[in-house]
Every structure is written in C-alpha cells, then in structure tokens.
Amino acid sequence: MVNSDPNDRRPTPDPAEHDAFFPSPYSLSQFTAPVSDLSGAEYPDAYKGGRWKFLVIGADERYLRMDNGTMFSTGNHPVETLLPMYHLEKAGFGFDIATVSGNPMKFEFWAMPREDKEVLGFFDRYAEQIKAPLKLADVITKALGDDSDYLGVFIPGGHGALMGLPKSPEVKTVLEWVAAKDKFLISLCHGPAAFLAVGKDSPIYRGRKIMAFPDALDAQTPDIGYMPGHLTWKFGEELQALGFELLNDGISGAVHKDGKILTGDSPLAGNALGQLAAAQALAEVMAK
C-alpha cells in the first residue's frame, strides 16, 4: 500500500525488488517539485550547422546497496538530466545517449516534475534513445576519432552515477579523450563520481575545481528517509584524493566553470548548468 502521508519519513518500499526503497513522502516533499525551474532557454544565435553534439553517459543500474543491507531505488535524476540537455538542444546541439552496458538508462522517475509539460515533452522526444542507448564501447570504437562530432560529454547526476561508472574502463577512456582533445565535460550533483574512473594515479584533474553534492549532506538524508540507509563510501573524499578541489559544502544551485569542466552542486543547479553549457558551447562553435 502506497503511503500518501506527506509527513511520513519512512522510505517507501519498491515492490519490484526485495528490501529496496524509494524516498519517503516527506523527503520527496522537500526535494522534488511538480514543476521545474526551467527558464531562460532562448538562444537567438543558436547553432544551425547540424554537426556538433554531446555524448550523454547515463546510469544503467538502479539498486544502490546501503550500509545496512537495504537498497536505494535510484538512477539518473530527471531534472539534473533533462534541464541541461534542454538548454543544449535549444542552443542547436544534438545528443547521443550511451550507457556502459548498452542497457536502458535508469531514471529516478519519482523525481520527475510531473506537471511540467515542457520537461515531460522533452523526455518523450528522447524516450527511445533512453530505452535503447548506444553501448559506450561501441561509441569509443566508432566516434572518438580526431574528426569526432562530439563537442563534449555530459554525465548527469543522481545516485545511479555512483554505480559502475566510477570504475568503468570505458568511462576512463572517454574522460582521457575529453582531456586530450580539449572537449567539454559537464556534470552535476553525484555525476562527478564518474570522474573517478580515470584512476587514482591519473594527473589530469589535479588542481581542478568543481561543484558536487556534498558527502556531509548525503550523510544526513537517511534521517528524513530520502535513502533507506547510509552510503558505503564517500565520493567527494575520493574526488579530493584524485586532486579535485570541491568548492561547495552546501547546495544552492551554484555552478562553476574551470576551463571546459562545467559543474553544478545539485538538482537546484540543473537550469543554471544548462544555461552555462549552452553559452559556452555556442562560444566554442562560433570561434571555430
């Protein structure tokens, strides 16, 4: 039975898996909204060349095991995924969507702004790519040459990014290509966990500054039932060990540009990150 009490802080059971849970009604009332803050997506000088696009690397695993043995039913956060993509599309850029396995991209559909017709319509347009993404290894083989049409890579947030991506050799190859070819790297919230794929001995991110969801806040969310337990590792600490400087200790919707690494702190940053990415991508193609 679905609990509709908005004050209930108990995680909601996911009937599709044993001992798995969605966020509590209370936490959803605090961290999700029926309408997003999508705005400012008018780009009168949008790119019309038809070539340049972004590679989106999505999460393909849903169940994140907690320290107490329960599982969090997660994936990519819809607002963190769709708002940056919306801005980039409005600015004239296309997408290829890929996952490591080639299996469908997983979404935290419980966070979808269900009364936001613009966001829902955008999701529907990409639903087939989301359900049948490219396999990342195939993208590496076929599309990462010197004449690649990718202007950059976008790794959406959501706790799903904590699974698979941080240890993926394919993600490692893509990130090294991004750095070597001076491409854009765009991410927010938990998405930067994927940057760990380059390995602890890699020097490519030493001294770089980014935004990401703070470990300290992840440790607090089980108190209101957002997750059914605590995470088993701290991705922020590992990013710092890799050489990153994390600029935020809270979430306010802040974004940051460090060269071509564009990051945001949380779902609150989805719209602003999209605006930043679109502006930077347009400046790049105009200079070519």
Side-chain angles (χ1 to χ4, degrees):
M1 182 176 180
V2 176
N3 187 353
S4 59
D5 179 0
N7 296 312
D8 193 336
R9 301 188 180 208
R10 294 173 297 174
T12 301
D14 175 355
E17 182 61 65
H18 175 258
D19 227 10
F21 297 86
F22 302 118
S24 69
Y26 176 78
S27 65
L28 289 179
S29 74
Q30 300 300 302
F31 293 138
T32 66
V35 178
S36 77
D37 64 344
L38 178 64
S39 63
E42 295 79 33
Y43 299 96
D45 297 320
Y47 170 65
K48 296 180 175 63
R51 175 187 176 186
W52 297 111
K53 56 187 176 180
F54 284 82
L55 173 63
V56 180
I57 301 178
D60 58 6
E61 297 187 42
R62 179 168 307 284
Y63 294 108
L64 178 62
R65 190 170 173 84
M66 303 280 99
D67 68 336
N68 59 5
T70 62
M71 292 187 290
F72 181 36
S73 185
T74 181
N76 285 126
H77 193 289
V79 170
E80 296 174 21
T81 305
L82 301 174
L83 267 61
M85 288 179 65
Y86 184 95
H87 280 276
L88 286 167
E89 186 193 70
K90 287 293 186 180
F93 302 102
F95 305 101
D96 283 340
I97 297 175
T99 61
V100 171
S101 65
N103 292 329
M105 186 175 174
K106 302 299 191 295
F107 268 83
E108 296 173 332
F109 219 73
W110 40 261
M112 183 69 76
R114 296 178 184 272
E115 297 176 18
D116 196 319
K117 293 181 179 179
E118 199 68 23
V119 173
L120 292 174
F122 184 82
F123 176 82
D124 287 343
R125 291 205 304 278
Y126 285 93
E128 187 56 34
Q129 283 195 56
I130 288 167
K131 293 177 182 178
L134 302 172
K135 187 173 183 177
L136 193 56
D138 294 337
V139 174
I140 292 168
T141 300
K142 300 174 182 178
L144 293 193
D146 290 336
D147 60 347
S148 175
D149 294 333
Y150 293 132
L151 200 60
V153 172
F154 172 43
I155 303 177
H159 284 83
L162 299 179
M163 295 180 285
L165 302 186
K167 295 183 178 180
S168 164
E170 292 86 4
V171 173
K172 173 184 170 70
T173 297
V174 172
L175 293 174
E176 291 175 340
W177 176 81
V178 166
K181 301 299 183 181
D182 194 30
K183 301 289 184 176
F184 287 103
L185 180 58
I186 306 166
S187 193
L188 71 168
C189 203
H190 292 84
F195 301 171
L196 296 169
V198 299
K200 62 182 181 181
D201 296 324
S202 174
I204 65 176
Y205 296 134
R206 289 175 188 167
R208 305 306 294 269
K209 299 178 180 181
I210 62 171
M211 299 277 184
F213 196 84
D215 289 336
L217 291 186
D218 262 332
Q220 295 174 20
T221 59
D223 294 341
I224 60 170
Y226 186 83
M227 294 188 295
H230 289 275
L231 297 175
T232 59
W233 61 290
K234 297 178 179 180
F235 83 100
E237 285 187 1
E238 296 205 16
L239 286 171
Q240 289 174 308
L242 194 61
F244 282 109
E245 179 181 347
L246 302 185
L247 298 175
N248 59 300
D249 55 14
I251 56 171
S252 63
V255 297
H256 183 72
K257 173 184 179 297
D258 183 347
K260 289 187 176 178
I261 301 179
L262 313 178
T263 52
D265 64 13
S266 67
L268 301 175
N271 193 68
L273 184 63
Q275 291 174 319
L276 175 63
Q280 292 298 310
L282 286 173
E284 174 84 359
V285 297
M286 288 178 183
K288 287 185 180 293

